Amino acid sequence: MSTDAPKVPGIPELEAQEARLTLPHFTYEDAWTLGGILVGLARERRAPVAIDIRRGAQQLFHCALPGSSADNDAWIDRKRRVVERYGESSLLVGTRFRAKGTTFEQSSRLDPDRYAAHGGSFPVAVEGAGVIGSVTVSGLPQAEDHAMVVEALERLLGDLTS
């Protein structure tokens, strides 16, 4: 584990990330490009992650890299369900609960076997349409999963708007 691992951002920063990372569109090709960016980042860092990208209920991209396991797929499903339910990143949802002095598991009244408000799943939002999907990484500590997704979305947004 590196000593420069990202810290969990605060609520204002997490909200700003979501506002900033709204895409002009999100096509099948965009999902493939985003998946490629994430695979490239993970390979550069030798990160043992699984990656999942969805539009609605349809899985558009999935990749499991060396060192990941079926447990990562289970974490992906649990974190993705939080994004689908709340329309916000799984890290933001968990951070909101912690800011209230509780935890998601204690206070959400949702089954922790089906929902996990841990970092790594981020809403795919499109201008004029709102949240239309999710992109999820699992395999690293939650702040690192989240940071990898944010970095990839920043690169994709740069490509789409340049």
Side-chain angles (χ1 to χ4, degrees), residues 1-17:
M1 176 103 171
S2 73
T3 57
D4 61 342
K7 299 209 181 319
V8 174
I11 291 171
E13 183 179 346
L14 293 167
E15 289 174 338
Q17 287 172 347

Side-chain angles (χ1 to χ4, degrees), residues 35-149:
I37 293 167
L38 281 163
V39 169
L41 290 171
R43 284 185 173 154
E44 286 171 16
R45 298 166 189 175
R46 293 182 175 87
V49 298
I51 301 161
D52 183 83
I53 302 172
R54 294 184 182 243
R55 187 172 64 198
Q58 186 179 21
Q59 185 178 54
L60 301 182
F61 184 93
H62 185 86
C63 179
L65 294 169
S68 66
S69 71
D71 283 345
N72 297 117
D73 291 327
W75 274 98
I76 282 171
D77 288 342
R78 293 170 60 217
K79 293 190 285 188
R80 174 184 45 79
R81 285 186 190 106
V82 169
V83 171
E84 291 169 351
R85 184 168 186 113
Y86 290 84
E88 297 177 325
S89 76
S90 53
L91 186 58
L92 176 56
V93 172
T95 301
R96 285 188 196 284
F97 277 90
R98 286 187 295 280
K100 294 176 186 173
T102 187
T103 67
F104 179 82
E105 294 78 11
Q106 292 171 327
S107 299
S108 71
R109 301 184 65 180
L110 296 172
D111 182 352
D113 288 335
R114 295 190 43 81
Y115 294 87
H118 295 262
S121 191
F122 201 93
V124 173
V126 173
E127 293 171 10
V131 175
I132 56 100
S134 62
V135 53
T136 310
V137 168
S138 175
L140 302 170
Q142 68 171 336
E144 292 180 44
D145 281 346
H146 178 87
M148 185 178 287
V149 172

Side-chain angles (χ1 to χ4, degrees), residues 23-37 53 55 60 126 156 160:
L23 305 174
H25 53 76
F26 191 69
T27 64
Y28 288 91
E29 186 66 30
D30 297 333
W32 185 257
T33 300
L34 178 58
I37 293 167
I53 302 172
R55 187 172 64 198
L60 301 182
V126 173
L156 177 65
L160 295 177

